[in-house]
Amino acid sequence: REVIIIILTTLAGRKGRVEMAPRRLVDECPTTPSKADKRILNSPASKNANNMGSLLGNKIEALPRTIQFITLALSVFFFFGIHNVLQEAMINTEGFTFGVMLGWMEVLGVTLCSGLERSSLPFIGNGEAKKQMVAPICAYPLLTLCLSMSSSLASWSLNYINFPTKVVFRSCKLLPTMLLAVVMGNSKRFTVIEIGSAMAVCAGLITFAAGDWSLSKPQFHPFGLTLVTLSVFADAVLPNAQEKIFRTYDASKSEVMFFTNVFTLMIQTGSTLLSGDLMGFVHFVMGKPKVEETNYFSIMMATTTDKQHRNLFEEESLETSHGTGL
C-alpha cells in the first residue's frame, strides 16, 4: 500500500499538485503481485539499475517507438557489418587456414561479455551471477549442440567456399526458423504478409551479398556447401530451443546466453585441441613457422579404418583357407 501511495503521489506531483490516493482505491488493490510484477521487481536490472545495460536501455525506452526501432535496426546492421568485414579479412589473411577457430573466437567473446554482464562489477554487471540457475543443466545439451554446429560449421565452410557464398546461404535462415517455430509450438501459423515479408528480407540479403560476386567469383565446393547448410539448420533450431526454455522455466536471457556459450566453449576447445586447430592457430598468431599439428581425430579415424580393413582381410583369408580345404 505504501508503494502504491508513493507512486500515485509522484505521478500527481508531476502534474503540479499532490493528491493522496483514495482509501478505497488502496484497499481494492491486490496485495499479492502478479507473476509479471514479480519478474519485474526481482529482475537484476530493477535491483541494480546503475549498470551500463540498464542505463542504455532506459535511454532507448524513453525514445518514441519508431525511433527505437530505427536505432536498434541500424545498430544491428552496423555491428554485424563490422563482424563480417573482420571475419572476411581474417579468412583472406595469407597462411590462415583455421576457419573453425573463427567460431571459437565468437563463442569466447560472447562468453566473456555475458559473464561480465552477470557479474557484480560496478557500472557493468547486473549481479545475476549470485542467483541460482533457473533452467536445469539438462535443458542445455540441445542449445549447446546447435550453437556448436552453427558457429563451427559456418566458419569451417570458409576453407572451401568464399565469404559471399557463405553469406548468401546464411541469409536464408529466417524461413526455416519460422517453419520450426510452428513445428516446435513457439508460434501459431504465420500470416501471408509475414511469410511474404520474410521472403522479401531473404531475397534482399541474397541480392545484396551477390553484388560482391562481380569482384570475387562464387565458389561452390560440395563439402563447403554441406557444412554451411547444416549450420543454417542448426541456427534455425537454436532460437526456437531458446524460446522453449524461456517459456518452460522462465529463465532470463542473460542466464541462457551465458551457460549456452560456456558449455559450447568447453566442447569447441576440446574438439579444436584434438584436431590441432587450436595450437596451430596459437602458433599462427604468435608468428611461429607453420608446423603440421597432430590431428587426433584423423589418427582415430585412420586407426579405426585400419582395424576394419585388417579384420576384413582376416575374414577373407579364413574363408579362402576353408574353401581350399574343402
Side-chain angles (χ1 to χ4, degrees):
R1 292 181 181 180
E2 288 77 10
V3 173
I4 296 175
I5 292 174
I6 292 173
I7 295 174
L8 294 176
T9 303
T10 305
L11 294 175
R14 291 180 180 177
K15 296 179 181 179
R17 63 182 184 276
V18 178
E19 297 178 359
M20 295 300 293
R23 184 71 180 176
R24 183 181 178 187
L25 177 62
V26 175
D27 291 338
E28 291 179 353
C29 291
T31 57
T32 304
S34 63
K35 185 177 181 180
D37 295 333
K38 287 181 179 179
R39 189 171 181 178
I40 295 174
L41 293 173
N42 296 329
S43 64
S46 64
K47 293 184 177 182
N48 188 6
N50 293 325
N51 65 76
M52 193 180 343
S54 298
L55 293 174
L56 182 60
N58 293 335
K59 292 282 187 182
I60 295 177
E61 289 180 357
L63 300 173
R65 292 188 64 84
T66 304
I67 303 299
Q68 290 184 35
F69 173 76
I70 294 175
T71 302
L72 295 175
L74 291 177
S75 299
V76 170
F77 279 105
F78 175 74
F79 288 108
F80 196 68
I82 293 177
H83 165 272
N84 285 351
V85 169
L86 293 175
Q87 196 173 58
E88 186 174 12
M90 293 180 67
I91 204 66
N92 291 332
T93 302
E94 185 179 357
F96 186 87
T97 57
F98 312 100
V100 69
M101 294 306 299
L102 297 177
W104 181 85
M105 287 187 289
E106 288 181 0
V107 174
L108 175 63
V110 176
T111 301
L112 294 176
C113 291
S114 59
L116 289 175
E117 181 188 6
R118 289 170 49 83
S119 68
S120 301
L121 295 176
F123 195 64
I124 296 178
N126 56 22
E128 191 173 338
K130 296 180 180 179
K131 288 186 173 183
Q132 189 176 2
M133 285 181 60
V134 177
I137 297 293
C138 61
Y140 288 98
L142 178 60
L143 295 182
T144 303
L145 176 63
C146 291
L147 183 57
S148 300
M149 290 180 60
S150 174
S151 59
S152 299
L153 297 182
S155 301
W156 189 11
S157 67
L158 291 175
N159 291 336
Y160 305 94
I161 59 178
N162 57 357
F163 201 83
T165 306
K166 174 211 166 188
V167 173
V168 167
F169 273 80
R170 297 279 292 178
S171 300
C172 303
K173 70 179 181 180
L174 181 57
L175 293 175
T177 302
M178 295 172 63
L179 177 62
L180 288 174
V182 177
V183 174
M184 298 178 66
N186 291 333
S187 174
K188 297 179 180 179
R189 294 182 180 274
F190 292 96
T191 63
V192 177
I193 296 178
E194 291 172 335
I195 296 175
S197 300
M199 294 178 66
V201 170
C202 294
L205 291 172
I206 291 173
T207 305
F208 182 78
D212 197 25
W213 285 356
S214 59
L215 301 176
S216 57
K217 294 183 179 180
Q219 299 176 6
F220 297 107
H221 192 284
F223 187 64
L225 294 180
T226 302
L227 293 176
V228 74
T229 302
L230 291 175
S231 74
V232 170
F233 177 75
D235 214 10
V237 176
L238 180 61
N240 288 292
Q242 289 177 332
E243 184 66 26
K244 211 169 188 64
I245 290 182
F246 295 147
R247 290 190 293 105
T248 305
Y249 303 104
D250 199 27
S252 66
K253 290 181 174 60
S254 62
E255 175 187 317
V256 174
M257 180 184 298
F258 174 73
F259 285 105
T260 302
N261 282 275
V262 165
F263 297 142
T264 303
L265 182 63
M266 293 169 60
I267 291 179
Q268 288 190 348
T269 301
S271 61
T272 53
L273 187 63
L274 290 175
S275 66
D277 288 301
L278 181 58
M279 296 308 300
F281 173 73
V282 171
H283 292 161
F284 177 82
V285 172
M286 296 176 64
K288 293 184 177 181
K290 186 175 181 180
V291 180
E292 194 66 29
E293 300 292 337
T294 304
N295 190 330
Y296 292 97
F297 287 133
S298 299
I299 294 176
M300 286 187 292
M301 291 180 62
T303 304
T304 304
T305 305
D306 182 62
K307 287 183 178 179
Q308 291 176 348
H309 288 169
R310 191 182 307 167
N311 293 336
L312 182 62
F313 178 76
E314 291 178 355
E315 290 178 0
E316 292 178 350
S317 300
L318 188 60
E319 291 178 357
T320 305
S321 61
H322 283 308
T324 305
L326 292 174

